[in-house]
Amino acid sequence: MAKPLHILAALALLSATAAIGSSVIAQDRGVKGLRDTPINQLDAAPDLYKQSTPAEGFGRSYRQQPPLIPHKIDGYQISTDNNACMTCHDWPGNTRVHAPKISETHYVDRQGARLDKVAGTRYFCTQCHVPQADAKPLVGNTFENATQVK
Ligand code: HEC
Ligand code: HEC
């Protein structure tokens, strides 16, 4: 059943007022959107950053942190029938290329059973492990790592 037109118009007006209201509040509090350009204009392309690949790897900010990836991963595809990361990070292949073996926790399934292959819950590596670039944070923050807050 179609809604009467005047109700639709009232709803549209209400949501427009709410949108304007919240953007005014956001401005008052000094909050800025990531997009500077008006919505009907093209935004400038974001800066390109070179991936950081420190030979000594990255430090961890807290004990349970998935380690960051210290090498390029552009060519390593992860699909349902092939996981290129595992060529180097599963035992015994890892010993040939001197890569760290995936953590023992990655061979344990949701029920706590130990498996001889990577658990499905850990299959898509880049859900947790990511490359890094030495880029300015998009939004300022006061993050301190676990050793700094002690
Ligand atoms: C050609 C072999 C190779 C492939 C493929 C590969 N890696 Fe690596 N990876 C390494 C080596 C070797 C290291 C040790 C550091 C180094 O030499 O860069 C490493 C280090 C890492 C580390 C850091 C571990 C730590 O304890 O700091 C992570 C995380 C990682 N790789 C994730 C991945 C993921 C995710 C993929 C797939 C997208 C992948 N790697 C594919 C060889 C590989
Ligand atoms: C659900 C998140 C998650 C996924 C998915 C995942 N990891 Fe991890 N990984 C972690 C965490 C957290 C750690 C550090 C704590 C630990 O050892 O469990 C870790 C540790 C590692 C380490 C370091 C091991 C060590 O002994 O220092 C390597 C290498 C690694 N992962 C590779 C991989 C690869 C390759 C994949 C994909 C097959 C993968 N991980 C998938 C979260 C994940």
Side-chain angles (χ1 to χ4, degrees):
M1 194 184 75
K3 289 199 172 90
L5 256 182
H6 64 275
I7 297 188
L8 284 182
L11 281 176
L13 187 67
L14 199 69
S15 54
T17 324
I20 293 167
S22 57
S23 73
V24 169
I25 293 168
Q27 269 170 18
D28 283 353
R29 294 192 183 144
V31 179
K32 203 163 112 339
L34 292 179
R35 186 190 171 94
D36 277 332
T37 336
I39 200 78
N40 59 350
Q41 285 167 34
L42 275 186
D43 219 351
D47 292 337
L48 276 181
Y49 291 99
K50 204 168 165 276
Q51 190 191 321
S52 304
T53 51
E56 69 287 2
F58 295 96
R60 295 195 201 183
S61 298
Y62 53 97
R63 190 179 300 121
Q64 306 84 347
Q65 182 195 322
L68 297 164
I69 305 176
H71 55 70
K72 287 192 157 285
I73 57 164
D74 304 357
Y76 305 148
Q77 211 185 7
I78 306 174
S79 67
T80 44
D81 48 23
N82 183 45
N83 182 328
C85 314
M86 291 300 275
T87 321
C88 295
H89 286 286
D90 197 11
W91 182 85
N94 74 305
T95 55
R96 282 194 293 274
V97 291
H98 304 290
K101 181 180 67 61
I102 55 169
S103 166
E104 275 302 308
T105 59
H106 295 23
Y107 297 101
V108 180
D109 73 9
R110 264 191 295 191
Q111 281 73 35
R114 297 192 146 267
L115 313 170
D116 194 37
K117 57 180 178 50
V118 63
T121 48
R122 306 284 191 158
Y123 188 80
F124 293 101
C125 320
T126 46
Q127 252 177 280
C128 304
H129 298 281
V130 288
Q132 284 294 290
D134 186 13
K136 199 159 91 7
L138 291 175
V139 177
N141 67 79
T142 55
F143 178 81
E144 290 180 74
N145 75 32
T147 55
Q148 290 168 315
V149 291
K150 271 193 185 138

